[in-house]
Amino acid sequence: MAIEAIKSVVGTAVPVPGADVDTDRIIPARFLKCVTFDDLAEGMFYDERFEEDGSSKNHPIDAPEYKGASVMVVGPNFGCGSSREHAPQSIRRSGFRAIVGVSFAEIFFGNSTNLGMPCVSLSIEDNEKLFALVAANSSQEVKVDLEAKTVTFGDTVFAMDMPDGAREALINAKWDTIGELAAQDTQIDKVAASLAYVQ
């Protein structure tokens, strides 16, 4: 199966405010008792979104105006804390395809890139402006353009930053290292058959 080249992401956005949002808040530890990542969407920001009795805390993710959003707009140092891969997995499996913020914890950023979910950075001023724009017009799509290195909201264009290695991996369909390895199964079998100690 061919790996998708991710050159841009277009979709409506949801603002998730706050600095230093850590992976424990993104996916509480009790949701980590799983064999696969398939059902992690239900735990995304669970304690931020719901009371103990399951009633809503009216988190932006659950607001009707942001239903179907595929871009998450976040604050500085997003994804800090533990290195659990479950955090970006829960976001990706909830339908999000890109995250726009100011800065990201290194391991969270790497895990997100390996899922084909770009995390791009704006200046603090531009990030705050985008938050306000999304809140004022939730139906307007955001375009995250990795080739142009821009984030566009209507007529407003922001310059974004992203490490070149990650950006190029996404653009050139080289972000899924496991997928790339699996695609070479014939060559792997050929090499294994030539090794005397592989029987």
Side-chain angles (χ1 to χ4, degrees):
M1 182 176 175
I3 299 169
E4 177 189 4
I6 300 172
K7 300 180 180 182
S8 66
V9 175
V10 180
T12 57
V14 57
V16 178
D20 306 314
V21 173
D22 64 34
T23 53
D24 296 313
R25 289 170 63 187
I26 296 170
I27 182 81
R30 65 186 179 279
F31 290 98
L32 308 188
K33 300 174 183 178
C34 55
V35 177
T36 70
F37 295 125
D38 294 344
D39 299 323
L40 285 180
E42 68 177 283
M44 184 189 69
F45 286 109
Y46 192 90
D47 292 341
E48 307 284 309
R49 296 165 60 194
F50 303 105
E51 302 287 357
E52 286 187 17
D53 63 3
S55 59
S56 176
K57 290 184 177 180
N58 299 313
H59 191 279
I61 286 172
D62 299 311
E65 62 266 33
Y66 301 121
K67 184 177 177 60
S70 58
V71 178
M72 187 179 290
V73 183
V74 302
N77 196 30
F78 188 79
C80 58
S82 69
S83 60
R84 62 184 65 164
E85 185 183 356
H86 303 71
Q89 284 277 3
S90 69
I91 294 172
R92 182 73 169 77
R93 290 171 186 276
S94 295
F96 292 95
R97 296 296 175 262
I99 307 177
V100 180
V102 176
S103 58
F104 299 89
E106 185 175 356
I107 295 175
F108 178 90
F109 177 89
N111 286 336
S112 296
T113 302
N114 291 339
L115 295 175
M117 184 173 66
C119 297
V120 305
S121 299
L122 305 180
S123 68
I124 292 176
E125 295 76 17
D126 286 349
N127 180 254
E128 290 175 352
K129 185 174 181 180
L130 182 59
F131 261 102
L133 288 170
V134 171
N137 186 0
S138 60
S139 63
Q140 174 66 56
E141 289 187 328
V142 175
K143 180 177 183 180
V144 178
D145 191 327
L146 300 187
E147 291 185 302
K149 297 179 72 173
T150 58
V151 174
T152 303
F153 186 95
D155 296 329
T156 305
V157 181
F158 302 103
M160 68 85 164
D161 190 34
M162 185 182 202
D164 287 339
R167 189 174 67 88
E168 290 169 7
L170 290 161
I171 291 171
N172 297 314
K174 298 291 185 183
W175 51 269
D176 186 353
T177 53
I178 295 175
E180 286 189 77
L181 181 62
Q184 303 299 318
D185 58 339
T186 301
Q187 184 64 24
I188 292 169
D189 290 342
K190 182 179 178 181
V191 172
S194 72
L195 302 173
Y197 56 82
V198 179
Q199 299 297 330

